[in-house]
Amino acid sequence: MMFDHCTLLFLFSSAATVQAEQSASGGSGGSGLGGSGSGSGAETPIHILFILVDDLGWFDVGWNGAEIKTPVLDQLAREGVTLTQSYVPSVCTPTRGAIMSGRYPYHIGLQRGGIRPTRPFGLPLNITTIAQRLQTAGYSTHAIGKWHLGFCKWDYTPCERGFDTFFGFYGGGQDHYTHRKKYHSKVFHGARVSGLDFRRNRRLVTNINGTYSMEAFAAEAIRLISEHDKHTPMYMYLSLQAVHGPLQAPKRFVDMYKEIKNKNRHMKAAMVTAMDEAIGNITAALEKAEMWNDTLIVFTTDNGGPVNSGSSNWPLRGSKATLWEGGHRGAAFVHGKMLNKTGYVYNGMIHTVDWYPTLLSLAGVNVDDTDLDGMNVWDAISNNKSSPRQSFVYNLLLTDETLSGGIRFNNWKLLVNPRSRRSEWYNPANASFPELFRKPLSDTLLFDLDADPTEHHNLASTKTDVLAMMMSRLNEAMESYVPDLIKQNPETAKSNPANFGDAWSPGWC
Ligand SMILES: *[C@@H]1O[C@H](CO)[C@@H](O)[C@H](O)[C@H]1NC(C)=O
Ligand SMILES: *[C@@H]1O[C@H](CO)[C@@H](O)[C@H](O)[C@H]1NC(C)=O
Ligand SMILES: *[C@@H]1O[C@H](CO)[C@@H](O)[C@H](O)[C@H]1NC(C)=O
Ligand SMILES: *[C@@H]1O[C@H](CO)[C@@H](O)[C@H](O)[C@H]1NC(C)=O
Ligand SMILES: *[C@@H]1O[C@H](CO)[C@@H](O)[C@H](O)[C@H]1NC(C)=O
Ligand SMILES: *[C@@H]1O[C@H](CO)[C@@H](O)[C@H](O)[C@H]1NC(C)=O
Ligand SMILES: CC(=O)N[C@H]1CO[C@H](CO)[C@@H](O)[C@@H]1O
């Protein structure tokens, strides 16, 4: 099994120099190997399976009423705690940054969106990730699937950020069967360059063409679980490629939905049901390995569903990459016998950044960072108590002096300068999704989400006292704004896979 481990592989790797430096500078070296030096003591460990699904909409799952079949997930949600106000950033990289750091994207420079494969940056290197902290505490830590937190140098990649093993891809999206990423950019003089993006630890995997990534990732999760010593705590970060575009799924799932006429919706449904089955396979492996009773599952989408590619967030407004509820209110649940109360719906407000302190406290790891945005919500979700969280930041983004963003305080939501694209309500029952037209919006919007969760009634001109209070909270939040890293890191042609033997690879920043 030696070759399967990040911290050992460098001995055999051609990039030995870089990785030897990494290892010498401390950080991740070796701590995952010894096993049970856990700060949480020698009693039964708590395993954590964090399932992050890509681009899964609010109305893409059975338990929210969708026409898409998710029997495995429905049952887990029903037996666990269904979260109805679990807020997530509205696109891929910011969410992953929030999970890894416990900080809002606008506090770590990730507020502008996804990291393109030509941008020379990643999750800032002074962030101690949740994986590093769990690894130090004696957890076996595994990252499977999509990374999307930077890869221009090895320091940004999963093996250097707290994971004992990695099996997956560095970028944001690619073909689910060939595992090749095509990217079109002006830095390539308008050409569409293409390269393989798939690795086991740091090594390229070249013999996986034709295997559907959902099946490959499930098989890897099952293998790791079956080989795991159940007395050592395990953290598995299962960051699925499903159900992100391109819309592809094995035929048997596509055949299940012949009645869905909209082509994108049809394929999305097939992908979601394939993902559901794969998760059933993984939970069966946990039972077989006798880890089930001690595993906490966190299941969450990374952002709202993209309505332009078959997702729906009905009845919520908007889409992925918008400030509306449809972009941020995520399909999510937790499941596990360590929850004190189960089989209920939790309506309290939580945010992605909360998993960091919550899971670390469950693992017995003390976090004393003073600049964390996350709050420990364990007692709240485990006992159906009111949430310690009363407010959060949807996002804050400055472009040429213009602020676009949103904040929440109790039932109030303030938006300034939201983008108008995909600002409607999209119901899959319509034969086709409506035109994604741009309707002019006002630049200041105020909603009472208790009375109006679907954001139909802008109260900015009537509730002027509330508007003033929210504006002052917005200004306060802006005081800690960190400049965004996309703006500071222009695209470069150096990442061209042609320079790296046909693969998207570290080594260009
Ligand atoms: C990381 O570095 C940035 C920029 O120097 C700094 O503002 C921030 O406070 C640092 N964060 C941590 C967690 O050390
Ligand atoms: C991957 O497999 C497909 C289908 O068999 C084939 O057309 C394609 O050339 C293969 N790609 C690579 C890079 O091997
Ligand atoms: C689930 O497991 C079954 C039985 O091993 C297998 O046939 C199927 O392909 C798996 N499904 C997925 C989506 O991985
Ligand atoms: C898991 O819990 C159930 C019910 O509490 C118990 O019957 C079963 O023996 C436990 N399994 C293991 C492997 O401890
Ligand atoms: C579990 O629930 C019981 C009954 O509601 C309560 O008395 C107890 O404090 C809870 N324990 C924990 C650890 O939250
Ligand atoms: C959870 O708490 C809410 C709000 O206090 C309450 O309405 C609901 O009945 C509780 N549910 C359970 C199962 O305790
Ligand atoms: C544009 C359009 O036709 N929207 C309709 C989609 O279906 C829902 C639910 O039946 C209607 O409320 C919308 O008006």
Side-chain angles (χ1 to χ4, degrees):
M1 288 298 108
M2 278 210 303
F3 287 92
D4 286 345
H5 206 286
C6 283
T7 53
L8 289 173
L9 185 70
F10 70 86
L11 297 172
F12 308 96
S13 156
S14 58
T17 328
V18 181
Q19 288 130 24
E21 278 168 18
Q22 280 306 309
S23 183
S25 70
S28 61
S31 55
L33 293 171
S36 53
S38 173
S40 51
E43 73 277 15
T44 321
I46 294 178
H47 309 296
I48 300 165
L49 172 59
F50 195 102
I51 305 174
L52 183 66
V53 183
D54 206 346
D55 282 3
L56 182 72
W58 178 265
F59 202 67
D60 293 344
V61 294
W63 79 83
N64 280 337
E67 78 284 29
I68 298 175
K69 298 180 189 77
T70 53
V72 171
L73 296 173
D74 292 351
Q75 186 180 345
L76 290 172
R78 198 165 51 239
E79 292 173 358
V81 179
T82 305
L83 304 172
T84 63
Q85 284 207 78
S86 171
Y87 283 89
V88 294
S90 77
V91 283
C92 311
T93 294
T95 299
R96 285 161 181 78
I99 291 168
M100 288 296 151
S101 72
R103 287 150 173 94
Y104 291 130
Y106 87 98
H107 279 157
I108 52 175
L110 299 182
Q111 63 271 46
R112 191 170 291 276
I115 302 178
R116 306 279 182 196
T118 43
R119 299 263 183 197
F121 75 99
L123 175 69
L125 295 171
N126 64 354
I127 295 291
T128 305
T129 68
I130 185 172
Q132 282 170 309
R133 291 202 141 126
L134 290 169
Q135 192 181 52
T136 303
Y139 269 71
S140 293
T141 58
H142 306 287
I144 299 175
K146 165 165 156 173
W147 182 239
H148 213 188
L149 284 172
F151 70 93
C152 65
K153 56 181 167 185
W154 291 107
D155 306 42
Y156 285 120
T157 64
C159 282
E160 322 301 328
R161 309 242 44 188
F163 290 100
D164 297 346
T165 73
F166 172 63
F167 182 71
F169 58 106
Y170 290 154
Q174 58 187 8
D175 190 284
H176 292 256
Y177 286 96
T178 64
H179 315 291
R180 292 181 68 84
K181 162 106 189 152
K182 288 184 189 157
Y183 187 65
H184 178 275
S185 167
K186 60 181 184 308
V187 296
F188 300 131
H189 309 291
R192 179 177 283 258
V193 305
S194 160
L196 177 67
D197 183 2
F198 208 96
R199 288 176 194 255
R200 175 172 295 289
N201 305 319
R202 300 180 186 81
R203 204 168 17 127
L204 278 171
V205 176
T206 53
N207 62 352
I208 197 172
N209 186 16
T211 302
Y212 188 53
S213 74
M214 185 63 259
E215 289 171 346
F217 294 144
E220 174 72 359
I222 290 165
R223 182 186 72 81
L224 287 168
I225 289 164
S226 69
E227 290 173 3
H228 185 75
D229 165 16
K230 66 178 180 182
H231 302 294
T232 301
M234 183 188 76
Y235 170 59
M236 183 177 282
Y237 172 62
L238 185 62
S239 171
L240 300 177
Q241 183 176 9
V243 292
H244 194 286
L247 300 174
Q248 298 169 298
K251 186 172 181 301
R252 66 191 170 96
F253 297 104
V254 178
D255 288 347
M256 288 173 66
Y257 290 104
K258 286 182 175 144
E259 77 282 6
I260 299 183
K261 296 289 174 258
N262 180 285
K263 194 164 158 278
N264 284 347
R265 185 69 177 167
H266 179 173
M267 289 305 297
K268 190 84 179 198
M271 294 178 85
V272 170
T273 299
M275 179 269 291
D276 184 80
E277 181 186 288
I279 288 171
N281 288 355
I282 294 167
T283 57
L286 285 167
E287 292 192 45
K288 195 164 165 221
E290 299 188 344
M291 289 165 68
W292 183 243
N293 288 357
D294 306 316
T295 298
L296 176 75
I297 297 177
V298 176
F299 177 97
T300 177
T301 186
D302 66 338
N303 45 245
V307 298
N308 49 315
S309 61
S311 272
S312 172
N313 304 301
W314 182 265
L316 302 176
R317 184 172 187 178
S319 178
K320 172 182 179 178
T322 71
L323 287 163
W324 306 109
E325 293 294 286
H328 287 269
R329 198 165 159 179
F333 65 80
V334 290
H335 181 284
K337 295 193 174 174
M338 59 298 294
L339 291 155
N340 203 19
K341 189 172 213 163
T342 54
Y344 80 103
V345 173
Y346 184 68
N347 293 315
M349 195 195 295
I350 70 170
H351 189 278
T352 306
V353 293
D354 297 334
W355 296 119
Y356 187 100
T358 301
L359 298 178
L360 286 173
S361 96
L362 197 61
V365 180
N366 192 32
V367 187
D368 51 17
D369 303 31
T370 51
D371 61 340
L372 269 195
D373 293 309
M375 293 174 177
N376 183 350
V377 295
W378 180 254
D379 190 34
I381 59 178
S382 174
N383 289 301
N384 192 26
K385 288 193 189 157
S386 64
S387 176
R389 178 170 290 289
Q390 292 188 302
S391 65
F392 65 88
V393 174
Y394 286 83
N395 197 30
L396 296 173
L397 177 64
L398 272 175
T399 305
D400 305 329
E401 310 286 302
T402 300
L403 175 67
S404 172
I407 59 162
R408 175 80 179 265
F409 179 63
N410 292 329
N411 52 318
W412 298 107
K413 174 176 182 177
L414 170 69
L415 292 183
V416 293
N417 300 308
R419 283 199 328 191
S420 58
R421 220 154 67 125
R422 297 178 190 132
S423 285
E424 304 294 305
W425 296 261
Y426 306 96
N427 189 317
N430 300 120
S432 62
F433 284 80
E435 283 303 302
L436 302 168
F437 57 94
R438 290 160 180 269
K439 245 193 208 169
L441 292 166
S442 35
D443 54 8
T444 307
L445 299 108
L446 179 71
F447 297 100
D448 176 352
L449 292 184
D450 279 355
D452 178 26
T454 56
E455 300 170 289
H456 280 84
H457 309 291
N458 178 12
L459 304 176
S461 58
T462 51
K463 294 277 181 190
T464 49
D465 51 339
V466 177
L467 180 64
M469 179 271 291
M470 292 297 279
M471 278 294 186
S472 100
R473 297 187 73 95
L474 181 76
N475 289 333
E476 206 176 295
M478 276 305 287
E479 285 168 16
S480 54
Y481 187 89
V482 168
D484 91 77
L485 289 166
I486 288 186
K487 223 162 132 186
Q488 293 170 47
N489 289 279
E491 293 195 77
T492 162
K494 285 193 235 164
S495 69
N496 194 333
N499 301 332
F500 298 93
D502 193 36
W504 297 99
S505 291
W508 45 279
C509 73

